[in-house]
Amino acid sequence: MLLVGIDWADDHHDAAIMDEPGNILEAFRFSNDQDGYDLLHQCIRRYEELPGQALVAIETKHGLLVHELVRSNYCVYAL
């Protein structure tokens, strides 16, 4: 299981990818557009090929990024 935390903002987002014990594997910033979403997917796939095995926590329950995460079959938790 992979854990992904996303700090949501209007024009960019900060993300941290962690393993189950909570070790940070990668931290990065991505833009709020398709190029940024592609980068997010690419970074997650470095550690987990199956989207359903990645738990994503994000600070909002709506918007294009949330839609993209749900569409891509990640387990999304709005905080």
Side-chain angles (χ1 to χ4, degrees):
M1 192 69 56
L2 197 65
L3 309 170
V4 182
I6 298 176
D7 181 21
W8 184 89
D10 287 330
D11 62 345
H12 69 272
H13 312 292
D14 294 310
I17 299 175
M18 297 160 279
D19 59 15
E20 285 189 62
N23 300 306
I24 295 176
L25 304 172
E26 188 168 351
F28 57 97
R29 178 170 283 183
F30 63 100
S31 56
N32 190 33
D33 56 21
Q34 191 60 55
D35 288 340
Y37 304 159
D38 291 344
L39 174 63
L40 174 63
H41 295 311
Q42 178 185 29
C43 290
I44 292 172
R45 278 193 305 268
R46 286 186 196 136
Y47 306 98
E48 179 57 66
E49 283 292 321
L50 299 173
Q53 294 298 309
L55 305 179
V56 180
I58 187 168
E59 297 180 299
T60 185
K61 62 182 179 180
H62 54 77
L64 292 176
L65 176 55
V66 173
H67 176 74
E68 175 69 14
L69 293 167
V70 170
R71 183 195 67 75
S72 298
N73 296 318
Y74 294 106
C75 295
V76 179
Y77 294 90
L79 306 176

